[in-house]
């Protein structure tokens, strides 16, 4: 099963140094029954893209909680055995939890298929930084703040091979 683990660049550096994503339990995002129902598609590529975007939103929340982290969303795509990622059946009722799964144990970074991250460009970092700052107000219903948060989603995460992690964190 492919899961998408949200991180920050410091979190990616820790995972690279440790050789694993963890410790567990880890929160990740995957194509779950709840995500299938929410996204209303049978196309697996579209569903995986939706799970990736859910993880990118979770990465943005991590950035909002860590003002010292570089303002780039990071998501690691990892393959785990079926059954290792468990969705909370009640979580599908909460819109912010759609596609969320828990992985009980740390996952070796060797199981990573790719890293997705914002470009190292001023416009992406500026928009992600503004979105992280506006997140709290958006959560409280501020429409202007939500517009700023949505602006970060306009930036596609770029694909990086696992061997490129040192360049991302360096």
């Amino acid at each position: 099963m492919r899961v998408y683990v949200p991180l920050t660049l410091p979190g990616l550096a820790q995972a690279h140094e440790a050789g694993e994503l963890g410790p567990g339990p880890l929160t990740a995002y995957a194509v779950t029954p709840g995500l299938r129902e929410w996204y209303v598609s049978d196309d697996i590529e579209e569903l995986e893209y939706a799970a990736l975007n859910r993880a990118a939103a979770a990465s943005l929340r991590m950035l909002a909680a860590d003002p010292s982290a570089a303002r780039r969303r990071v998501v690691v795509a990892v393959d785990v055995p079926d059954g290792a990622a468990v969705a909370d059946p009640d979580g599908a009722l909460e819109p912010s939890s759609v596609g969320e799964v828990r992985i009980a144990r740390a996952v070796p970074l060797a199981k990573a298929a790719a890293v997705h991250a914002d470009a190292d460009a001023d416009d992406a970092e500026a928009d992600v930084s503004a979105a992280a700052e506006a997140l709290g107000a958006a959560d409280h219903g501020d429409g202007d703040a939500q517009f700023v948060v949505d602006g970060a989603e306009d930036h596609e995460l770029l694909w990086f091979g696992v061997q490129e992690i040192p360049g991302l964190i360096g």
Side-chain angles (χ1 to χ4, degrees), residues 16-104:
H16 181 61
E17 185 176 318
E20 65 183 18
L21 296 163
L26 292 170
T27 298
Y29 293 82
V31 177
T32 63
L35 183 88
R36 286 179 185 275
E37 186 176 323
W38 172 75
Y39 198 73
V40 192
S41 175
D42 289 331
D43 184 324
I44 191 64
E45 287 183 18
E46 286 182 19
L47 291 165
E48 286 187 354
Y49 184 72
L52 170 66
N53 284 331
R54 303 295 291 173
S59 176
L60 181 64
R61 290 197 173 282
M62 292 174 166
L63 290 174
D66 183 2
S68 67
R71 305 332 249 170
R72 293 173 68 189
R73 298 167 298 164
V74 176
V75 175
V76 179
V78 182
D79 293 319
V80 299
D82 288 342
V86 179
D88 177 1
D90 296 330
L93 303 175
E94 179 65 37
S96 64
S97 298
V98 171
E100 190 174 285
V101 295
R102 296 273 187 276
I103 303 168

